[in-house]
């Protein structure tokens, strides 16, 4: 029997310490929010994981007041070396509780445990370590001799990397002396509330971090609140535009990190087998729920057939299923709503004449799953080449010359990331200068580091997170 | 094909690739035209696949499959007939107290020991493999390499493991390497030819890929990483590249060729990582001893211990497996 059936290797869900009920975190305490409680669902099984109390408009006000008091009374006055100690402590606590956080993240979000365990949680800890290092060195960051914090930051984060996006937002805000009111996504609030416990464990002064679960209306209340100095939003372009309209004309500072439709460009002289890995990683990492996903593959015509053939074989080996199984490569789509959106866009691809190929891998019959899909014969004029699908769906286009590759890659309203695959170093440098994207990866994809700034062009938003540049978003410069 | 190497037994290069070996220049163009290998990427993939969790039935199956793929090897200057016979006995009955343990694929010895091994293994189904061609350096004349091969084959070896001329390869004399492999293949007759690339001396992954294709073009039935006498010997990333090569070869020609990592694979855990790579890089059909082998001497005992652990439910310790 030459069949290698990997036995299921599920991580124990008991590690997540899942509770029946979670509460908003305001002024250092878990409080009963006055909003309508929401139920958060395991997207892999559709079962309810926990009930989560949400905030109302008045809770937003209470949280902002607490954050203001903590800002003026404690946090902004504290020497950088002291703030650093808290951040280092938080970073270490994330590491100590990493298994719990990873399992909880996979339960709530649907992402494979190997990604939450090896990528999300360690990178979240790394962001706190990195920014802890900046807290007492801000005068050397290049923003003047004594750069000042902005005040209270309202932060709204998405569901694709719940804990990691929280770390991207909170770590630089705290390092630079701001206090925070953060709203996690409606469908993935749990790790943010465990993070609130970590803040308590770290004995962070009350009010420095406040976490308010809720839906879009709570986000809107944060955005319109008069005593907030800065809004940082990661999420859809549509909501980002609405926020920008709302903030326009107020003294609030704003950074937006929005959608993407990144080009992953493969030249004929590329290291093809590794390019295939990069393409797979670019679009199928986190079920394609990545704003910088390489969702548009641009292949040089001379190798397009070969790349497609190799790609289909490779994608057919991806294992889709239980996110808690250590052998799972692709987990669940985060919500029924998102699954419907992916299906809709895939149907438009069929209707517009693209050639659809779906992996023959077995797909669980329960939960929100979508088999990895590759569209060939895609043209710039199709919806699947222009709109962000935010799912495990790759659109493959071709090009003939480097100039054409640049023209097609840049022919998008977005500009978050791009990938270049070629063995020719001079071409990498030339392309990187031509591409309008916040990050350009060469011969790799989806690499993140707290020291590397991340952010977009055009409809992908503005402002940078991470690195020295990312500090600017939370400093009065 | 040049006149010096074309014998009746030399296989023709499969039609889709015939042009690649037409002359020196076209062979060079073909090999240098293969896609490059990105070091970071291949090492990342190898590390990623190395984290597959294999347990229970899958582990039982993997251990038995790995045992059946072992080329039990003794390649010492001090090899004696007694040592070879002992190894042959172990090859047939790896675990005397567990008769359902599969036998290994082959016993691998120096050419002068082939006759002893053949006699000891007669009727067992275990093959005799022999390292010929001036193993392990290969720094001798073609006449001697051919004679070495003939000694092994005449003594009854079913499989010949040859080393390529790394010096010629690194000098860029690809056609010389190609012709030598072809000549040895012809001298092998019915015996299967495993071509040892000695990847530790080829140094770059690009070279590993080129040497793999060169060996496949010349008719090698297997491509093998190392002699075991040079460090580094087999590594997972190198094996990934070779598995990719036989997969691509199959796509282009329809032919099935095998891969043999050798040297440095000592634990069951490592062996399973290799099997995962075979499964996911080359494909499921390569998970048979005809197409994948482990060149190892100490691996077998760890496989046997782990097999007992799986069967008995507890670990028994090194005194419970035989030392040969």
């Amino acid at each position: 029997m030459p069949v290698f059936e990997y036995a299921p290797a599920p991580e124990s869900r008991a590690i997540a310490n899942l509770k029946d009920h979670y509460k908003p975190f305001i002024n250092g305490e878990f409080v009963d929010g006055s909003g309508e409680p929401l139920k958060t669902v395991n997207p892999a099984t559709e079962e309810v994981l926990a009930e989560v109390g949400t905030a109302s408009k008045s809770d937003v006000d209470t949280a902002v007041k607490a954050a203001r008091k903590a800002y003026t009374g404690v946090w902004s006055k504290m020497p950088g070396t002291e703030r650093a100690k808290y951040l280092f402590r938080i970073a270490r606590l994330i590491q100590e509780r990493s298994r719990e956080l990873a399992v909880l993240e996979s339960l709530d979000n649907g992402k494979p445990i190997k990604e939450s365990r090896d990528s999300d949680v360690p990178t979240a800890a790394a962001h706190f370590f990195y920014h802890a290092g900046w807290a007492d060195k801000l005068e050397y960051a290049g923003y003047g001799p004594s750069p000042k914090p902005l005040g209270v930051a309202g932060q709204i984060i998405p569901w694709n990397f719940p804990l990691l996006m929280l770390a991207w937002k909170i770590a630089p805000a705290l390092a630079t002396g701001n206090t925070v009111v953060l709203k996690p996504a409606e469908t993935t609030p749990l790790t943010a509330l465990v993070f609130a416990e970590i803040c308590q464990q770290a004995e962070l002064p009350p009010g420095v971090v406040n976490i308010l679960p809720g839906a879009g209306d709570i986000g809107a209340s944060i955005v319109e609140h008069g005593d907030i100095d800065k809004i940082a939003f990661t999420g859809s372009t549509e909501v980002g535009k609405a926020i920008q309209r709302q903030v326009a004309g107020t003294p609030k500072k704003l950074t937006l990190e929005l959608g993407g439709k990144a080009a992953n460009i493969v030249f004929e002289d590329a290291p093809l087998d590794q390019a295939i890995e990069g393409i797979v990683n670019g679009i199928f990492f986190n079920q394609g729920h990545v704003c910088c996903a390489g969702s548009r593959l641009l292949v040089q015509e001379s190798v397009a057939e070969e790349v497609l053939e190799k790609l289909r074989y490779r994608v057919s080996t991806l294992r889709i299923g239980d996110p808690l199984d250590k052998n799972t490569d692709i987990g669940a789509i985060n919500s029924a709503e998102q699954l419907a959106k992916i299906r809709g866009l895939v149907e438009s691809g069929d209707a517009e004449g693209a050639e659809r190929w779906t992996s023959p891998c077995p797909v669980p019959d329960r939960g929100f799953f979508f088999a990895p899909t590759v569209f060939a014969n895609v043209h710039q004029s199709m919806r699947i080449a222009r709109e962000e699908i935010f799912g495990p769906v790759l659109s493959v286009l071709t090009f003939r010359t480097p100039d054409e590759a640049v023209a097609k890659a840049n022919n998008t309203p977005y500009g978050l990331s791009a990938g270049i695959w070629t063995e020719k170093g001079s071409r990498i440098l030339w392309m990187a200068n031509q591409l309008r994207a916040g990050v350009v990866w060469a011969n790799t994809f989806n690499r993140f580091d707290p020291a590397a700034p991340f952010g977009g062009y055009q409809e992908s938003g503005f402002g940078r997170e991470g690195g020295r540049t990312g500090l600017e978003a939370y400093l009065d410069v | 094909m040049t006149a010096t190497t074309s014998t009746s037994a030399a296989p023709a290069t499969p039609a889709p690739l015939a042009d690649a070996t037409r002359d020196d220049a076209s062979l060079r163009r073909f090999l240098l035209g293969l896609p490059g290998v990105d070091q970071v990427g291949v090492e990342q993939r190898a590390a990623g696949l190395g984290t597959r969790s294999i347990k229970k039935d899958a582990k039982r199956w993997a251990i038995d499959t790995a045992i059946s793929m072992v080329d039990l090897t003794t390649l010492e200057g001090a090899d004696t007939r007694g040592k070879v016979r002992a190894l042959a006995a172990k090859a047939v009955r790896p675990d005397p107290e567990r008769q359902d343990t599969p036998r290994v694929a082959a016993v691998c010895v120096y050419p002068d020991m082939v006759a002893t091994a053949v006699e000891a293994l007669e009727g067992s189904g275990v093959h005799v493999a022999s390292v010929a061609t001036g193993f392990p350096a290969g720094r001798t004349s073609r006449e001697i390499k051919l004679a070495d091969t003939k000694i092994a084959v005449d003594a009854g070896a079913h499989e010949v493991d040859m080393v390529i001329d790394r010096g010629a390869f690194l000098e860029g004399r690809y056609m010389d390497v190609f012709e030598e492999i072809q000549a040895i293949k012809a001298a092998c007759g019915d015996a299967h030819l495993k071509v040892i690339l000695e990847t530790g001396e080829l140094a770059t992954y690009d070279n590993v890929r080129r040497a793999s294709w060169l060996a496949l073009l010349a008719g090698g039935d297997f491509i093998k990483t190392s002699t075991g006498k040079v460090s580094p010997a087999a590594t997972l990333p190198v094996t990934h590249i070779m598995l990719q090569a036989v997969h691509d070869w199959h796509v282009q020609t329809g032919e099935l060729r095998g891969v043999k990592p050798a040297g440095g694979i000592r634990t069951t855990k490592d062996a399973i990582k290799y099997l995962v790579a075979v499964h996911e890089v080359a494909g499921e059909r390569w998970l048979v001893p005809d197409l994948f082998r482990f060149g190892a001497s100490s691996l077998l005992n760890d496989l046997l211990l782990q097999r007992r652990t799986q069967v008995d439910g507890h670990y028994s310790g090194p005194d419970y497996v035989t030392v040969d």
Side-chain angles (χ1 to χ4, degrees), chain A residues 1 6 273 277 327 329, chain B residues 38 45 52-53 61 209 280:
Chain A
M1 59 157 205
Y6 305 161
D273 292 322
E277 293 308 306
N327 290 324
D329 296 316
Chain B
D38 186 79
R45 169 111 207 261
R52 289 286 195 218
S53 174
W61 183 85
R209 170 170 298 198
E280 300 202 29

